[in-house]
Amino acid sequence: MEFLEYINKIDQEELNTLPGLTPALAEKVAAGRPFATLEDFSNLKGLTEKRLATLMEDFGKKMEAENAEKLQQAEAVSSEEIAEAVGNEVDKLTRKSTLRRLITWIVVLILLGGAVTSAILWGIPFVYARYIKPVENNAASITDLADQQIAEIARLEEELAALQARAAILEERADSVDQNLSAHDASLAQLENMQKLLDSNLSAHKTEMLVEFSNQLSLTRGIELISRSRLYLSESNFGLAKKDLQSARDLLYTLLDKLPADQIDAMKVVIERVDMAIEKLPAYPVVAVNDVDTAWQYLVDGLPNVPEQAVTPVILPSTATPEATATIEATATLEATAAP
């Protein structure tokens, strides 16, 4: 098909889609058809050389595509004819060898049946014993291990939760112990200040009431020292606990000859228990705690009478610590001042 013939035959809708033609120019082309020559078409108003070249190029591409499609169709027809001819020849050959092939297939099927039967009788048990059963055993072992791991994880989580709860309790207890220690420190500092003030008053004015008050003050300081040592023991601070017990021992020993007769034996029991606790620290803190608690209970109960069956210990003077030395010297000064 020639280009001019193509322009004269295409419909209006396709004409509007041609590249290079505006809708107005496409209407002019439709109105001017049919064109006798290409020159008549190119002289159409508004159709430039560039637009004409674009139209002709598009026409060439469409013709090439149409020719290629026709060629493919022709090749397809030729292929079908060739295939049909070949098929006819093959059918002829197939008919001749049908019996032979049938016999061959029968033999093959018999052989395959025998092979399958042999595989069923011998191969499957062998494969199961050699490969499948070990896999099943391994899978069972893995399942058991997974169950054990899950149980172990659950147990560890329970232990962790218990440890966390215990840690919270210990932390709360530690805070409480720290607060109690601070309270005892403040109380001991206040008692020491009161002791110094009382000593200065005794130096100036010696009275029986002041002496008694001094003894009670020393006894209270001893109770505070033992109480603080109990807190140190609860924190496993055995060094500071032993130091407080030694200070309390030295302080309480100075009261032996100043207490009423019905309290002296109980005070000796207290000092004996404190000595036992000092000897056991830091090697045997658990046993020392019992001795400290016993001594503390005697003091808190007001030094009650010792039962008759109890043996009153013999208490020896202790090696004076700096604190005890100061206390003993202060007591000796008071006694010298109180002497007639």
Side-chain angles (χ1 to χ4, degrees):
M1 179 183 295
E2 297 295 334
F3 172 70
L4 190 61
E5 183 182 359
Y6 169 72
I7 293 297
N8 289 330
K9 286 184 176 183
I10 60 174
D11 56 18
Q12 182 66 39
E13 183 177 355
E14 188 178 356
L15 186 63
N16 291 331
T17 62
L18 291 179
L21 292 183
T22 63
L25 188 56
E27 291 181 358
K28 290 181 180 181
V29 172
R33 291 189 299 184
F35 297 99
T37 62
L38 181 60
E39 185 179 357
D40 293 339
F41 176 69
S42 61
N43 290 331
L44 187 66
K45 186 177 182 180
L47 183 63
T48 62
E49 294 182 1
K50 184 177 180 181
R51 289 177 176 176
L52 179 61
T54 301
L55 289 173
M56 295 182 71
E57 182 180 358
D58 180 67
F59 171 74
K61 291 179 180 179
K62 288 181 178 180
M63 291 297 102
E64 289 179 0
E66 185 177 348
N67 293 332
E69 183 178 357
K70 290 180 179 179
L71 180 60
Q72 290 178 355
Q73 292 176 355
E75 291 176 353
V77 172
S78 300
S79 299
E80 290 177 357
E81 293 175 353
I82 293 172
E84 184 177 357
V86 172
N88 293 332
E89 294 297 327
V90 170
D91 289 340
K92 293 178 182 179
L93 295 174
T94 301
R95 293 189 191 97
K96 294 179 181 179
S97 60
T98 299
L99 182 60
R100 184 185 300 172
R101 289 165 56 186
L102 180 60
I103 296 173
T104 302
W105 277 110
I106 291 173
V107 173
V108 170
L109 289 175
I110 293 173
L111 293 175
L112 287 176
V116 171
T117 303
S118 300
I120 293 174
L121 294 176
W122 304 99
I124 292 178
F126 173 78
V127 171
Y128 177 78
R130 184 69 179 271
Y131 300 103
I132 298 177
K133 189 173 182 179
V135 172
E136 291 178 348
N137 294 335
N138 290 336
S141 300
I142 292 172
T143 302
D144 293 339
L145 290 175
D147 294 338
Q148 294 177 5
Q149 186 176 11
I150 291 173
E152 186 69 16
I153 291 174
R155 183 183 66 81
L156 291 176
E157 288 178 350
E158 291 178 358
E159 292 181 358
L160 179 60
L163 289 175
Q164 290 175 346
R166 184 179 178 185
I169 294 173
L170 291 176
E171 185 176 356
E172 182 178 355
R173 181 180 175 185
D175 294 338
S176 177
V177 169
D178 292 340
Q179 293 176 0
N180 290 333
L181 283 173
S182 300
H184 281 296
D185 292 341
S187 179
L188 283 170
Q190 185 177 7
L191 289 173
E192 289 178 3
N193 292 332
M194 292 175 64
Q195 186 75 58
K196 292 178 182 179
L197 181 61
L198 183 61
D199 292 343
S200 63
N201 289 332
L202 280 175
S203 299
H205 306 285
K206 175 227 173 235
T207 63
E208 184 177 351
M209 183 178 66
L210 288 178
V211 172
E212 177 64 22
F213 185 70
S214 176
N215 293 338
Q216 292 298 322
L217 190 60
S218 297
L219 185 62
T220 303
R221 289 178 61 197
I223 294 174
E224 286 291 330
L225 287 169
I226 293 178
S227 297
R228 191 169 67 177
S229 71
R230 295 175 71 202
L231 292 176
Y232 282 137
L233 286 174
S234 69
E235 289 189 331
S236 300
N237 196 338
F238 305 135
L240 292 179
K242 186 173 183 179
K243 181 179 178 181
D244 277 353
L245 289 174
Q246 186 64 54
S247 299
R249 198 269 186 205
D250 296 338
L251 184 61
L252 296 175
Y253 183 80
T254 62
L255 299 176
L256 278 176
D257 56 349
K258 301 174 185 178
L259 293 173
D262 59 345
Q263 293 183 342
I264 292 177
D265 290 342
M267 179 60 79
K268 289 181 179 180
V269 174
V270 170
I271 295 175
E272 180 193 34
R273 289 287 185 168
V274 173
D275 286 341
M276 293 170 65
I278 292 173
E279 291 177 359
K280 293 167 185 173
L281 288 176
Y284 306 102
V286 177
V287 184
V289 168
N290 182 56
D291 295 325
V292 174
D293 289 343
T294 302
W296 179 83
Q297 193 64 52
Y298 265 96
L299 292 174
V300 171
D301 290 343
L303 298 174
N305 289 330
V306 178
E308 295 181 359
Q309 65 269 21
V311 178
T312 303
V314 178
I315 303 300
L316 300 177
S318 63
T319 303
T321 61
E323 180 180 354
T325 302
T327 304
I328 294 172
E329 290 178 355
T331 305
T333 302
L334 291 176
E335 289 176 350
T337 305

